mmCIF file of all heavy atoms in Angstrom:
data_model
loop_
_atom_site.group_PDB
_atom_site.id
_atom_site.type_symbol
_atom_site.label_atom_id
_atom_site.label_comp_id
_atom_site.label_asym_id
_atom_site.label_seq_id
_atom_site.Cartn_x
_atom_site.Cartn_y
_atom_site.Cartn_z
ATOM 1 N N ILE A 456 18.939 -6.301 -17.429
ATOM 2 C CA ILE A 456 18.087 -5.131 -17.579
ATOM 3 C C ILE A 456 16.543 -5.423 -17.674
ATOM 4 O O ILE A 456 15.673 -4.803 -17.149
ATOM 5 C CB ILE A 456 18.516 -4.191 -18.795
ATOM 6 C CG1 ILE A 456 19.875 -3.643 -18.384
ATOM 7 C CG2 ILE A 456 17.463 -3.120 -18.907
ATOM 8 C CD1 ILE A 456 20.396 -2.807 -19.574
ATOM 9 N N PHE A 457 16.325 -6.645 -18.342
ATOM 10 C CA PHE A 457 14.916 -6.996 -18.564
ATOM 11 C C PHE A 457 14.401 -7.999 -17.574
ATOM 12 O O PHE A 457 13.519 -8.653 -17.767
ATOM 13 C CB PHE A 457 14.893 -7.562 -20.015
ATOM 14 C CG PHE A 457 15.297 -6.595 -21.098
ATOM 15 C CD1 PHE A 457 16.538 -6.718 -21.605
ATOM 16 C CD2 PHE A 457 14.473 -5.536 -21.409
ATOM 17 C CE1 PHE A 457 17.070 -5.828 -22.574
ATOM 18 C CE2 PHE A 457 15.008 -4.704 -22.417
ATOM 19 C CZ PHE A 457 16.256 -4.727 -22.971
ATOM 20 N N SER A 458 15.280 -8.372 -16.518
ATOM 21 C CA SER A 458 14.873 -9.160 -15.576
ATOM 22 C C SER A 458 14.125 -8.361 -14.374
ATOM 23 O O SER A 458 14.669 -7.668 -13.670
ATOM 24 C CB SER A 458 16.050 -9.957 -14.818
ATOM 25 O OG SER A 458 15.746 -10.741 -13.785
ATOM 26 N N LEU A 459 12.787 -8.620 -14.395
ATOM 27 C CA LEU A 459 11.906 -7.783 -13.474
ATOM 28 C C LEU A 459 11.776 -8.380 -12.118
ATOM 29 O O LEU A 459 10.737 -8.958 -11.670
ATOM 30 C CB LEU A 459 10.586 -7.567 -14.115
ATOM 31 C CG LEU A 459 10.592 -6.943 -15.565
ATOM 32 C CD1 LEU A 459 9.267 -6.792 -16.141
ATOM 33 C CD2 LEU A 459 11.248 -5.476 -15.430
ATOM 34 N N ARG A 460 12.872 -8.404 -11.312
ATOM 35 C CA ARG A 460 12.859 -8.902 -9.922
ATOM 36 C C ARG A 460 12.438 -7.805 -9.017
ATOM 37 O O ARG A 460 12.693 -6.558 -9.340
ATOM 38 C CB ARG A 460 14.213 -9.358 -9.526
ATOM 39 C CG ARG A 460 14.736 -10.589 -10.431
ATOM 40 C CD ARG A 460 16.333 -10.663 -10.238
ATOM 41 N NE ARG A 460 17.012 -9.352 -10.682
ATOM 42 C CZ ARG A 460 18.169 -8.967 -10.292
ATOM 43 N NH1 ARG A 460 18.713 -9.853 -9.359
ATOM 44 N NH2 ARG A 460 18.645 -7.884 -10.758
ATOM 45 N N PRO A 461 11.685 -8.170 -7.882
ATOM 46 C CA PRO A 461 11.441 -7.008 -6.965
ATOM 47 C C PRO A 461 12.587 -6.144 -6.580
ATOM 48 O O PRO A 461 12.363 -4.980 -6.225
ATOM 49 C CB PRO A 461 10.749 -7.839 -5.858
ATOM 50 C CG PRO A 461 10.269 -9.155 -6.420
ATOM 51 C CD PRO A 461 11.230 -9.493 -7.512
ATOM 52 N N SER A 462 13.741 -6.843 -6.301
ATOM 53 C CA SER A 462 14.898 -6.122 -5.915
ATOM 54 C C SER A 462 15.473 -5.173 -6.927
ATOM 55 O O SER A 462 16.390 -4.449 -6.711
ATOM 56 C CB SER A 462 16.126 -6.995 -5.578
ATOM 57 O OG SER A 462 16.362 -7.937 -6.573
ATOM 58 N N GLY A 463 14.830 -5.251 -8.214
ATOM 59 C CA GLY A 463 15.392 -4.451 -9.228
ATOM 60 C C GLY A 463 14.629 -3.163 -9.462
ATOM 61 O O GLY A 463 14.732 -2.412 -10.504
ATOM 62 N N PHE A 464 13.967 -2.717 -8.472
ATOM 63 C CA PHE A 464 13.231 -1.469 -8.398
ATOM 64 C C PHE A 464 13.543 -0.694 -7.166
ATOM 65 O O PHE A 464 13.658 -1.232 -6.148
ATOM 66 C CB PHE A 464 11.688 -1.661 -8.388
ATOM 67 C CG PHE A 464 11.105 -2.386 -9.726
ATOM 68 C CD1 PHE A 464 11.149 -3.788 -9.777
ATOM 69 C CD2 PHE A 464 10.663 -1.626 -10.641
ATOM 70 C CE1 PHE A 464 10.642 -4.323 -10.862
ATOM 71 C CE2 PHE A 464 10.143 -2.250 -11.795
ATOM 72 C CZ PHE A 464 10.205 -3.656 -11.985
ATOM 73 N N GLU A 465 13.830 0.647 -7.407
ATOM 74 C CA GLU A 465 14.126 1.534 -6.298
ATOM 75 C C GLU A 465 12.810 2.191 -5.686
ATOM 76 O O GLU A 465 12.048 2.882 -6.451
ATOM 77 C CB GLU A 465 15.119 2.580 -6.704
ATOM 78 C CG GLU A 465 16.360 2.071 -7.133
ATOM 79 C CD GLU A 465 17.251 1.275 -6.052
ATOM 80 O OE1 GLU A 465 17.107 1.802 -4.813
ATOM 81 O OE2 GLU A 465 17.686 0.202 -6.308
ATOM 82 N N PHE A 466 12.492 1.982 -4.485
ATOM 83 C CA PHE A 466 11.234 2.262 -3.858
ATOM 84 C C PHE A 466 10.989 3.797 -3.967
ATOM 85 O O PHE A 466 9.910 4.215 -4.549
ATOM 86 C CB PHE A 466 11.093 1.732 -2.480
ATOM 87 C CG PHE A 466 9.786 2.033 -1.851
ATOM 88 C CD1 PHE A 466 8.716 1.370 -2.041
ATOM 89 C CD2 PHE A 466 9.688 3.029 -0.902
ATOM 90 C CE1 PHE A 466 7.461 1.670 -1.605
ATOM 91 C CE2 PHE A 466 8.414 3.248 -0.236
ATOM 92 C CZ PHE A 466 7.372 2.498 -0.610
ATOM 93 N N TRP A 467 11.689 4.631 -3.271
ATOM 94 C CA TRP A 467 11.384 6.039 -3.200
ATOM 95 C C TRP A 467 11.382 6.745 -4.477
ATOM 96 O O TRP A 467 10.486 7.600 -4.644
ATOM 97 C CB TRP A 467 12.279 6.626 -2.074
ATOM 98 C CG TRP A 467 11.901 6.212 -0.750
ATOM 99 C CD1 TRP A 467 12.681 5.548 0.274
ATOM 100 C CD2 TRP A 467 10.690 6.594 -0.008
ATOM 101 N NE1 TRP A 467 11.917 5.323 1.360
ATOM 102 C CE2 TRP A 467 10.690 5.938 1.294
ATOM 103 C CE3 TRP A 467 9.550 7.287 -0.370
ATOM 104 C CZ2 TRP A 467 9.662 6.003 2.243
ATOM 105 C CZ3 TRP A 467 8.453 7.327 0.486
ATOM 106 C CH2 TRP A 467 8.577 6.841 1.833
ATOM 107 N N PRO A 468 12.336 6.626 -5.357
ATOM 108 C CA PRO A 468 12.196 7.263 -6.582
ATOM 109 C C PRO A 468 11.018 6.879 -7.387
ATOM 110 O O PRO A 468 10.318 7.646 -8.059
ATOM 111 C CB PRO A 468 13.521 6.829 -7.433
ATOM 112 C CG PRO A 468 14.432 6.517 -6.291
ATOM 113 C CD PRO A 468 13.721 5.970 -5.223
ATOM 114 N N GLY A 469 10.483 5.617 -7.260
ATOM 115 C CA GLY A 469 9.310 5.157 -7.843
ATOM 116 C C GLY A 469 8.056 5.862 -7.279
ATOM 117 O O GLY A 469 7.224 6.239 -7.933
ATOM 118 N N VAL A 470 8.050 5.966 -5.941
ATOM 119 C CA VAL A 470 6.976 6.596 -5.255
ATOM 120 C C VAL A 470 6.871 8.033 -5.762
ATOM 121 O O VAL A 470 5.752 8.537 -5.975
ATOM 122 C CB VAL A 470 7.131 6.500 -3.700
ATOM 123 C CG1 VAL A 470 6.042 7.368 -3.025
ATOM 124 C CG2 VAL A 470 6.977 5.027 -3.232
ATOM 125 N N ILE A 471 7.977 8.794 -5.785
ATOM 126 C CA ILE A 471 7.888 10.128 -6.245
ATOM 127 C C ILE A 471 7.469 10.311 -7.552
ATOM 128 O O ILE A 471 6.701 11.244 -7.870
ATOM 129 C CB ILE A 471 9.361 10.782 -5.893
ATOM 130 C CG1 ILE A 471 9.647 10.798 -4.416
ATOM 131 C CG2 ILE A 471 9.337 12.136 -6.525
ATOM 132 C CD1 ILE A 471 11.073 11.272 -4.206
#
Side-chain angles (χ1 to χ4, degrees):
I456 295 175
F457 305 100
S458 177
L459 302 180
R460 300 162 297 159
S462 60
F464 295 84
E465 296 300 317
F466 180 75
W467 285 113
V470 170
I471 294 171

